[in-house]
């Protein structure tokens, strides 16, 4: 914390010195030129600005332009987000909007202002329209990019765990959208002021900042022209800082993981596979496989790498459709620990488990402690944890998930040292609670530690 405060103070000092440097350079240039018409000094600009601030007309003008320019920005944000959501869900909508957005981004703002003057009867709304038009493509493009960049593996995990749509949107899609959306807003807030004021100048909108700039030009009042320019810069910076801080605050609150609604314990039904075949690119991986995993039993599926163990689990879970054959598990709900941890990187260990578990926080912590996760590790974002710690978080999530009648574990002890390995195996045994557990592994020690029968997958002849 002390380090971050020091860095912040240093940044403020550096920025302040940079501003002072340019003000001094401006003052020196003004003295050298010696003409207020060509370049007025910053002192005279500040004096003029101080005089403007004391008048009621100044504040009425600022309010007039601010309301209209920010209205255009807010409208662009709302419409851009809605259109991005529609485009993300429909290739037709995406194809229809693409040329429109490219056109809006390519045409000069002056052309739109002139066209708007022909279309709009009331020039008072000109800044609203132009600000909206300039910001819309940026918000749309960045939001669509964020939506399409959501982690596919996390989305697959959410489908397997039957995570409700709202929680999926909030905890998986929103973190992917926030960074590009924030960047769009940062750019858009600056652009809306530039384009909005330009529209007011060209349209000579009565009562606006643009009108004041136009009048200052006509009267050759360089001091007043620059004073209003300073006002525009300050307004743009202030609203950008305020909006982005509010957005960051809202984002942090939205991403605080809350417990889901409690789910009834899942029933452990048998899992049957009949004549299942699955291949990729013409190469068979599973062929005419018929198996039954009894309800409430734990089985270790073993075999060398590349023998289809992971494919078997994915077919059982319904994440892959077999090329032929049938898989039946009734209404059994699954939880899983994949070979990849598939964690919410911004959340801590407790919140990653709480994403699918309604147990009280202390019980989740106790489970993590029993897996050997240190107390301080439970409160740090999982992005900062080691591979072994992340593995244990994923394992805890699979074993504690609400409503799961069957648990699928794919190389669950990968990357753990010997002591952690034994501890994790003991955790699985203690937390099984009568559920069907399928463990994929290539290590015979796993079956011994879990005291589970072994099913060996036979190599599939690739000549078939």
């Amino acid at each position: 914390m002390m380090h971050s405060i020091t860095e912040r103070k240093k940044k403020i000092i550096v920025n302040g010195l940079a501003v002072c440097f340019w003000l001094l350079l401006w003052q020196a240039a003004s003295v050298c030129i010696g003409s207020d018409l060509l370049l007025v000094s910053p002192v005279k600009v500040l004096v003029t600005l101080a005089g403007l601030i004391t008048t009621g007309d100044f504040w009425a003008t600022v309010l007039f332009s601010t309301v209209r320019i920010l209205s255009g920005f807010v409208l662009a944000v709302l419409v851009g987000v809605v259109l991005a959501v529609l485009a993300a869900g429909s290739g037709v909508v995406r194809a229809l909007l693409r040329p429109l957005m490219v056109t809006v981004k390519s045409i000069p703002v002056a052309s739109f202002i002139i066209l708007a003057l022909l279309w709009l009867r009331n020039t008072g709304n000109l800044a609203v329209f132009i600000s909206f038009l300039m910001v819309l493509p940026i918000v749309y493009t960045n939001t669509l990019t964020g939506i399409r960049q959501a982690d596919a593996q996390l989305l697959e995990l959410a489908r397997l765990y039957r995570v409700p749509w709202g929680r999926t949107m909030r905890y998986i899609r929103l973190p992917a959208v926030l960074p590009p959306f924030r960047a769009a807003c940062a750019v858009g807030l600056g652009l809306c002021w530039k384009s909005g004021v330009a529209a007011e100048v060209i349209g000579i909108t009565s009562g606006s900042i643009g009108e004041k700039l136009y009048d200052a030009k006509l009267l050759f009042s360089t001091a007043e022209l620059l004073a209003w320019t300073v006002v525009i810069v300050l307004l743009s910076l202030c609203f950008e800082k305020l909006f982005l801080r509010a957005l960051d605050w809202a984002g942090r609150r939205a991403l605080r993981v809350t417990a889901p609604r409690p789910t009834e314990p899942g029933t452990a039904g048998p899992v049957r596979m009949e004549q299942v075949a699955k291949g990729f690119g013409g190469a068979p991986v599973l062929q005419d496989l018929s198996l039954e995993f009894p309800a409430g039993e734990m089985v270790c599926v073993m075999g060398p790498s590349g023998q289809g163990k992971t494919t078997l689990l994915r077919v059982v879970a319904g994440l892959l459709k077999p090329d032929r054959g049938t898989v039946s598990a009734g209404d059994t709900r699954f939880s899983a620990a994949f070979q990849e941890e598939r964690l919410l990187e911004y959340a801590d260990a407790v919140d990653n488990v709480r994403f699918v578990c309604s147990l009280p926080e202390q019980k989740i912590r106790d489970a993590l402690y029993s897996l050997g996760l240190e107390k301080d590790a439970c409160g740090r974002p999982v992005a900062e944890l080691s591979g072994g710690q992340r593995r244990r978080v994923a394992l805890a999530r699979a074993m504690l998930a609400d409503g799961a009648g069957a648990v699928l574990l794919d190389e669950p002890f990968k990357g753990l040292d010997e002591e952690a390995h034994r501890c994790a195996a003991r955790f699985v045994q203690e937390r099984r609670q009568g559920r069907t557990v399928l463990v994929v592994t290539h290590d015979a020690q796993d079956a011994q530690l879990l005291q589970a029968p072994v099913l060996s997958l036979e190599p599939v002849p690739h000549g078939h």
Side-chain angles (χ1 to χ4, degrees):
M1 177 64 75
M2 184 61 68
H3 177 70
S4 63
I5 292 174
T6 304
E7 286 295 321
R8 197 179 303 124
K9 286 183 178 179
K10 183 179 178 182
K11 184 177 180 181
I12 292 172
I13 292 172
V14 170
N15 289 339
L17 291 174
V19 171
C20 290
F21 169 80
W22 289 109
L23 286 175
L24 290 172
L25 188 64
W26 178 4
Q27 177 67 30
S30 175
V31 171
C32 291
I33 293 173
S35 171
D36 285 350
L37 179 63
L38 296 177
L39 185 62
V40 68
S41 73
V43 175
K44 289 185 179 179
V45 171
L46 290 176
V47 171
T48 303
L49 180 58
L52 290 173
I53 289 174
T54 59
T55 65
D57 181 58
F58 170 84
W59 294 106
T61 301
V62 168
L63 181 63
F64 180 94
S65 292
T66 299
V67 168
R68 282 156 179 77
I69 290 172
L70 292 186
S71 294
F73 171 79
V74 172
L75 187 61
V77 168
L78 295 176
V79 174
V81 169
V82 171
L83 291 179
V85 171
L86 294 175
S90 169
V92 174
V93 174
R94 193 160 58 249
L96 288 174
L97 289 176
R98 188 178 297 115
L100 175 63
M101 296 301 170
V102 170
T103 300
V104 172
K105 284 193 292 186
S106 303
I107 293 179
V109 63
S111 299
F112 277 123
I113 295 171
I114 294 170
L115 287 172
L117 286 172
L118 297 175
W119 297 337
L120 299 176
R121 294 181 179 179
N122 181 10
T123 59
N125 294 323
L126 184 61
V128 179
F129 177 73
I130 295 301
S131 298
F132 165 79
L133 212 56
M134 294 300 102
V135 176
L136 176 64
I138 302 171
V139 173
Y140 166 82
T141 302
N142 282 32
T143 304
L144 178 59
T145 299
I147 293 174
R148 300 186 73 186
Q149 286 180 346
D151 193 321
Q153 291 185 338
L154 279 176
L155 292 172
E156 185 181 69
L157 178 141
R159 288 198 303 273
L160 177 66
Y161 279 70
R162 302 187 188 180
V163 176
W165 176 84
R167 290 179 70 80
T168 301
M169 293 294 293
R170 179 176 176 180
Y171 298 123
I172 297 178
R173 290 199 180 274
L174 184 60
V177 171
L178 275 177
F181 176 74
R182 187 187 190 280
C185 291
V187 173
L189 278 164
L191 186 59
C192 74
W193 278 98
K194 293 176 185 177
S195 58
V197 172
E200 292 175 344
V201 172
I202 295 176
I204 318 177
T205 304
S206 179
S208 69
I209 293 176
E211 183 190 36
K212 298 298 182 183
L213 289 172
Y214 186 81
D215 290 345
K217 185 205 77 164
L218 290 180
L219 298 173
F220 298 102
S221 178
T222 309
E224 188 170 339
L225 179 67
L226 290 176
W228 279 109
T229 302
V230 170
V231 170
I232 296 167
V233 171
L234 292 176
L235 287 171
S236 177
L237 289 174
C238 287
F239 280 106
E240 179 182 336
K241 295 290 185 183
L242 288 172
F243 183 86
L244 293 182
R245 285 192 178 185
L247 182 62
D248 291 341
W249 175 83
R252 287 193 298 270
R253 287 186 62 86
L255 296 182
R256 289 178 187 169
V257 182
T258 57
R261 292 180 179 178
T263 304
E264 292 294 326
T267 55
V271 178
R272 297 186 180 90
M273 306 177 69
E274 296 182 6
Q275 299 296 309
V276 169
K278 181 65 183 177
F280 300 95
V285 177
L286 303 177
Q287 186 164 309
D288 298 328
L289 193 61
S290 295
L291 298 170
E292 179 171 341
F293 301 101
E297 297 294 326
M298 184 188 299
V299 177
C300 281
V301 180
M302 294 188 63
S305 297
Q307 293 304 121
K309 301 187 301 297
T310 296
T311 301
L312 169 65
L313 282 194
R314 292 177 63 80
V315 169
V316 167
L319 300 176
L320 284 177
K321 290 186 178 180
D323 298 332
R324 65 174 182 273
T326 59
V327 179
S328 62
D331 194 36
T332 302
R333 293 182 62 168
F334 292 96
S335 66
F338 298 88
Q339 287 195 26
E340 317 85 10
E341 282 74 27
R342 305 194 185 195
L343 301 174
L344 305 175
E345 297 293 332
Y346 59 88
D348 62 27
V350 174
D351 282 348
N352 265 279
V353 177
R354 185 158 43 195
F355 178 53
V356 294
C357 173
S358 59
L359 287 175
E361 179 177 336
Q362 190 55 51
K363 288 192 174 183
I364 295 175
R365 286 184 177 275
D366 290 342
L368 290 168
Y369 296 156
S370 68
L371 270 169
L373 207 66
E374 301 83 358
K375 187 174 182 179
D376 70 309
C378 290
R380 301 207 313 268
V382 294
E384 300 176 7
L385 301 185
S386 68
Q389 290 172 324
R390 291 164 59 87
R391 195 68 191 152
R392 282 173 275 188
V393 174
L395 183 59
R397 180 181 60 192
M399 299 306 300
L400 298 179
D402 286 349
V407 185
L408 309 177
L409 305 177
D410 194 351
E411 303 286 359
F413 312 129
K414 180 181 65 175
L416 301 181
D417 59 37
E418 187 175 350
E419 178 58 32
H421 193 156
R422 287 196 298 269
C423 183
R426 186 167 58 250
F427 178 84
V428 171
Q429 285 183 306
E430 292 172 351
R431 299 282 177 167
R432 187 160 69 87
Q433 300 173 334
R435 291 177 292 184
T436 305
V437 180
L438 305 184
V439 183
V440 156
T441 180
H442 64 271
D443 189 346
Q445 184 185 5
D446 291 348
Q448 295 172 3
L449 290 172
L450 294 169
Q451 299 175 8
V454 174
L455 169 66
S456 296
L457 281 187
E458 297 296 330
V460 176
H462 289 277
H464 281 59

